[in-house]
Amino acid sequence: MATPQSRIYFTEEEYLAIERASEERHEYVDGRIFAMAGESDEHGEISSNIFGHLFDQLSGKPCRARHENTKVRSGPEPKPSQSPEGFYSYPDVLVVCGERKFHDKYRDVLLNPNVIIEILSKSTEAFDRGEKFIRYRTWLPSLTDYILVSQDKPMIEHYRRQPNSEWTLATLTGPDAALKIESIDCSLKLSDVYDGVQFPSPQNAPIENDLTI
């Protein structure tokens, strides 16, 4: 089987076969396969903190938190006659409620996450804010919350889908602020999210701003 290094474009089926046999994680974007970079210490701390607090709060509820290794398909149902089109990613943290829906019998590609949380880095921030969010909100009707977490300062951006399909943004800054995810009845204090994380400089007091996009 060809590897990601020896070819440029792959079908979704080829990508999934490669990924299931690989020890490394890769994302798939419209026929191209991209290796995922390793995480920084700050990224690892933040991701673990968020997952741990959500896991505890969701205990006994119909929603479950997943951490880093769950693939999500954000694109149309693949068809053999189509040119390569689709997006498979590994959100840093996600929450899925109710019955989980999967791409195929392997049950390793989720189709219906409710909350997706991405931790920003310099190499991925533009994609996370732009094309990735477009695909998430277009192809994941189950998605109610998209949350972006800075790793170099205590700041969280919380996008929420409204009944009219518009998205509102709330920006929280400072360790005393708290993120409330009403769709899953959970909250995260920024002091807990950033526990153990060292920042390069002092930050300002907590602020929350709202807008509609």
Side-chain angles (χ1 to χ4, degrees):
M1 178 179 294
T3 65
Q5 290 74 28
S6 60
R7 282 177 52 189
I8 297 177
Y9 291 101
F10 297 79
T11 67
E12 292 180 54
E13 290 76 13
E14 289 171 330
Y15 159 72
L16 291 172
I18 291 170
E19 194 68 355
R20 286 163 180 158
S22 175
E23 295 182 358
E24 300 178 346
R25 296 182 302 160
H26 304 81
E27 291 188 328
Y28 177 92
V29 185
D30 295 340
R32 302 189 69 181
I33 296 175
F34 298 91
M36 298 182 66
E39 65 181 15
S40 66
D41 181 69
E42 292 80 8
H43 187 290
E45 287 287 335
I46 294 167
S47 180
S48 296
N49 289 341
I50 292 173
F51 173 77
H53 284 282
L54 289 179
F55 181 87
D56 289 342
Q57 293 181 55
L58 292 172
S59 178
K61 298 179 181 179
C63 300
R64 312 302 296 172
R66 295 290 179 87
H67 190 205
E68 294 184 340
N69 291 317
T70 298
K71 289 188 293 295
V72 171
R73 191 191 86 202
S74 307
E77 182 74 26
K79 297 179 180 179
S81 60
Q82 290 180 336
S83 59
E85 179 184 6
F87 179 47
Y88 291 74
S89 62
Y90 290 86
D92 291 318
V93 180
L94 65 82
V95 176
V96 57
C97 300
E99 181 182 359
R100 294 183 286 278
K101 298 179 181 179
F102 296 97
H103 171 74
D104 58 20
K105 65 180 182 180
Y106 292 95
R107 297 174 60 85
D108 60 353
V109 179
L110 188 68
L111 302 179
N112 62 329
N114 299 88
V115 177
I116 289 179
I117 301 173
E118 300 285 8
I119 300 163
L120 301 174
S121 66
K122 291 182 179 179
S123 62
T124 64
E125 181 171 354
F127 185 63
D128 289 345
R129 293 185 180 281
E131 185 64 24
K132 180 181 283 188
F133 186 27
I134 290 173
R135 299 202 184 211
Y136 281 165
R137 68 182 189 240
T138 300
W139 295 106
L140 298 175
S142 61
L143 188 68
T144 59
D145 300 81
Y146 182 54
I147 299 166
L148 300 176
V149 182
S150 173
Q151 63 173 301
D152 58 7
K153 57 182 174 292
M155 184 176 80
I156 293 178
E157 295 163 89
H158 182 194
Y159 293 89
R160 289 171 288 189
R161 192 196 298 267
Q162 303 303 306
N164 62 0
S165 294
E166 290 184 342
W167 289 78
T168 61
L169 168 64
T171 301
L172 300 103
T173 63
D176 295 329
L179 169 68
K180 297 179 181 179
I181 313 174
E182 296 179 356
S183 62
I184 57 173
D185 192 24
C186 289
S187 63
L188 295 168
K189 296 180 180 178
L190 270 67
S191 57
D192 291 331
V193 169
Y194 292 101
D195 184 36
V197 176
Q198 298 295 320
F199 297 112
S201 61
Q203 303 299 314
N204 296 325
I207 301 173
E208 181 169 348
N209 300 311
D210 292 278
L211 59 84
T212 301
I213 62 172

